[in-house]
Every structure is written in C-alpha cells, then in structure tokens.
Amino acid sequence: MFVGPELDRLIALLAKLPGLGPRSARRAALALIQKREALLQPLAAALEAAAAAIRPCSVCGNLDSTDPCGTCADDRRDRSVICVVESVGDLWALERAGAHRGLYHVLGGTLSAIGGRGPEDLTIQQLLRRVAGGGVSEVILALGATVDGQATAHLVADRLRPLGVAVTRLAHGVPVGGELGYLDDGTLAAALKARRPA
Amino acid sequence: MFVGPELDRLIALLAKLPGLGPRSARRAALALIQKREALLQPLAAALEAAAAAIRPCSVCGNLDSTDPCGTCADDRRDRSVICVVESVGDLWALERAGAHRGLYHVLGGTLSAIGGRGPEDLTIQQLLRRVAGGGVSEVILALGATVDGQATAHLVADRLRPLGVAVTRLAHGVPVGGELGYLDDGTLAAALKARRPA
C-alpha cells in the first residue's frame, strides 16, 4: 500500500467487477480520480440512484425501476408467448437483438450438479403458475446449449407439458457471420440436420 | 432503452472507464445491481471517499490522500534521486516493481506535436525548481520509449544540464520473460549494443 487507503479500497472494489482485473482496476481508479467532475461524481450518483430504484420484477424476474418491469408492462408485447432465459443478462441480449416481441421469464440460473442447484433454486414454480394462469400459448426455452442448460430445458419442458402449452427451443446452427472451418462438429451436424430450402 | 433510465445512465458511465466497453459495462452494471450490499453500496461509498480525500501532491504530482504524498513524506526514501515519469500510472507501475527507492516527479504527459502539448503544459519548471533547491544528485528519466517520450526526455535533459545534476534514462533491452523471436528489431539491436558480461 503506497497510496491512501481510500484509493486502495476503490481499486479492490473495481477489481471485483466482471471484466476488470487488478491492473485494469488501477487504470479505472486513476481515470476516475483524474476525471473527478466528469466521471467519478456522476458514477457515484448513478450508483446511488440505481441502488435506490432498481428492483427485480415480481412477474418475470427482470431488473427495472418499475414493478412490473417495462417489458411486462408494455401493452404492445405479445402476452401469449413467454421466453424463458437463465439470467437478466440473457434477457437483455435478446432485447438488444430485438428478435422477441413477447414476454420473458428469468429462471435465475440452470440446474447444476457441481454447483448444487436443484429445481427449487430456480423460478420454475413461478413460471408454471404464470402459464397455468392462462393466456399463454407458447413457451420458448432460450437456455444455453450447455449440458446444464439442456438438462434444465428438459426439466422445464417436462413440467410444462401437462399444461397443454407449446414448448419450443432455440435453433442450433451456423452463427451469422461465422465461418464453417471454425465451427465444432456438433454445431455443424445440427446445422446440416436442420437444413432448409435455399 | 428497455431498462430504467437509472440503469442506462449507470451503464453509460461504466462504459467510459478504460478497459470497459458497452458490453462489459452492461455485465458490470448487472453484477453491481445483483450484488447490491456486497459491491454496489461499498463502491458508491468508496467513490465518495476517494473524491473527498485524494488530491495531487504539490511536490511531485502523485495522487494521494495526504499532501505531500506518502512517497514524498517517507523518510526512508533516498531524497537525492528523482525519477521523472509521464503519469501517475507510470509512477504506480514503478512502485509496484519496488525498483526505485528515491522520489518521483510526474510530468503530466509528454510533448506532442499532434496533441498540441508544449513544454509549458508539463511540470518541467516545477522539476527544475526542485533540483535547483539542492540535495538532488541524479534525475532518472523514466519516460516511454516512444517518439514523443524520447523528445520529452531530450528537452528535460537539456534543461537540467546547467544545474550540474546527473541525468540518466532507463535501459533498453529484452523484457524479462520475453522471447527473442517476438521482439522488434530496434529492441534487439539496443539489447545487443548494451550487452554485459554474463
């Protein structure tokens, strides 16, 4: 410790952010101190404002300053389709893509034998209640193409089946802009199997 | 904008930090919101504390919560050697390396024809006053091995010469842990020229 304890503490906290290591945390702390009016004070205020305002949506689990969240409250969205995602980050990614015009449901993770997460740690019961409440015709399982993600998708699909709702999953295939030579065998096989008329 | 304005503002400010782009700023904002007690509130408090406490040292230009800074105030350091650096970040890098036991002087940048920075934009006069004040036997120019850095080193060395103080610069050579095959020709030639008995 050769700078004050205030700076050491700031660097230690910045280093906990995803994407920032100890070295980039020091660079960030330096930039913050050197741009006090333009960056540090607004960021401190924005953190306070976000902490005070942002809450999980009691319907879908999204994070927003209103409850229900902006997505759930939006009248222009198709309320008959619910897209199930692992995390709020995945929800945001789909929203940025602008590909889904229905509602969402955040599971809060996947089943994980290693992580010790079972069905009761996910918001599966809440999803079943939403679907049982009526008005839903399709549930899209937008879970990761990992072992845990697919195990979770199987379980959720099984639980949804008695409710008589259509359950779909995302297509596997060649990523847009991707080159075949860099793709793994599983993706290539899936893309070939799911081929469509040109 | 599909999340609240508070979150959009937080993401926009985080994206201004060095090392964070829009995508990693979203991940960081999400982590902050989801770890409210463990991360967001401490970070907001640390920012306020740093803003209130950290000031540039009036002697050397380092940033610290005391003035003179901890380095300048440290009695165990060799006050006869001043290491001149471009930025506080460079000073921190040298301190982490633990290689310099003297004092520092932060120039605040380099001369730059493109950036429109002349000698009057750097703290050269303050450095000359410190050296003229007596007790200094050596000034180490630890400036970048760039065109601007070397031009700045030449100018500072010229100004220091009349004061009768030894002026040195960092050695060029092979980085520790570096492989010769990846090095540029200039560094290889400098390392060969400065070879020493094994």
Side-chain angles (χ1 to χ4, degrees):
Chain A
M1 194 185 80
F2 56 91
V3 287
E6 294 87 359
L7 209 41
D8 280 333
R9 179 152 173 74
L10 179 59
I11 293 169
L13 285 165
L14 286 170
K16 287 187 187 173
L17 292 178
L20 282 182
R23 192 176 285 257
S24 44
R26 278 191 296 266
R27 283 208 302 145
L30 202 49
L32 282 164
I33 294 291
Q34 289 176 332
K35 295 179 192 158
R36 204 175 291 251
E37 272 78 38
L39 196 51
L40 191 151
Q41 282 160 357
L43 181 59
L47 285 167
E48 306 276 9
I54 309 290
R55 294 278 174 275
C57 171
S58 58
V59 179
C60 75
N62 188 17
L63 290 166
D64 204 336
S65 48
T66 56
D67 184 12
C69 71
T71 310
C72 286
D74 187 347
D75 283 337
R76 292 161 303 176
R77 301 190 78 110
D78 182 354
R79 311 197 147 259
S80 69
V81 185
I82 294 179
C83 181
V84 176
V85 292
E86 291 173 20
S87 66
V88 175
D90 290 354
L91 189 162
W92 291 4
L94 283 162
E95 276 301 283
R96 279 200 305 284
H100 177 58
R101 299 307 301 161
L103 302 180
Y104 290 94
H105 190 84
V106 179
L107 276 188
T110 57
L111 301 175
S112 168
I114 295 170
R117 278 196 306 277
E120 67 288 350
D121 298 314
L122 309 178
T123 61
I124 297 176
Q125 286 305 321
Q126 289 90 318
L127 173 65
L128 296 177
R129 273 200 297 275
R130 280 180 78 183
V131 173
V136 179
S137 61
E138 180 181 358
V139 173
I140 306 169
L141 301 176
L143 303 175
T146 59
V147 172
D148 284 346
Q150 295 306 300
T152 311
H154 273 281
L155 177 83
V156 174
D158 277 350
R159 300 273 174 97
L160 284 168
R161 203 149 293 138
L163 298 171
V165 72
V167 181
T168 57
R169 62 162 183 79
L170 296 187
H172 289 306
V174 182
V176 175
E179 289 187 61
L180 294 196
Y182 292 102
L183 273 181
D184 64 292
D185 298 348
T187 304
L188 270 181
L192 196 62
K193 204 169 154 190
R195 67 191 178 278
R196 308 199 305 169
Chain B
M1 195 185 78
F2 57 92
V3 286
E6 294 86 0
L7 208 42
D8 281 334
R9 180 152 173 73
L10 179 59
I11 293 169
L13 284 165
L14 286 170
K16 287 189 188 171
L17 293 177
L20 282 183
R23 190 176 286 257
S24 43
R26 276 192 298 265
R27 280 206 304 146
L30 203 49
L32 283 163
I33 294 290
Q34 288 175 335
K35 296 180 194 159
R36 203 175 293 250
E37 271 78 39
L39 196 51
L40 191 152
Q41 283 161 357
L43 181 59
L47 285 167
E48 305 276 8
I54 309 290
R55 294 278 174 273
C57 172
S58 57
V59 178
C60 74
N62 187 16
L63 290 167
D64 204 337
S65 48
T66 56
D67 184 14
C69 71
T71 310
C72 285
D74 186 348
D75 282 339
R76 292 161 303 174
R77 300 190 79 109
D78 181 355
R79 314 198 144 258
S80 69
V81 185
I82 294 180
C83 181
V84 176
V85 291
E86 292 175 19
S87 65
V88 175
D90 290 354
L91 189 162
W92 290 3
L94 283 163
E95 275 301 283
R96 278 201 304 285
H100 177 58
R101 298 307 304 164
L103 302 181
Y104 289 94
H105 190 84
V106 179
L107 276 188
T110 57
L111 302 174
S112 168
I114 294 170
R117 280 194 306 277
E120 68 287 349
D121 297 314
L122 308 178
T123 61
I124 297 176
Q125 286 305 319
Q126 288 91 315
L127 173 66
L128 296 176
R129 273 201 297 276
R130 280 180 78 182
V131 174
V136 179
S137 61
E138 180 181 359
V139 175
I140 305 169
L141 301 176
L143 304 176
T146 59
V147 172
D148 284 345
Q150 294 307 298
T152 310
H154 272 280
L155 178 84
V156 174
D158 278 351
R159 299 273 174 96
L160 284 169
R161 203 148 293 137
L163 298 173
V165 72
V167 182
T168 56
R169 64 161 182 78
L170 297 188
H172 290 305
V174 182
V176 175
E179 291 188 58
L180 294 196
Y182 293 101
L183 273 180
D184 63 293
D185 298 349
T187 304
L188 271 180
L192 196 64
K193 204 169 156 191
R195 67 190 177 281
R196 309 198 305 169

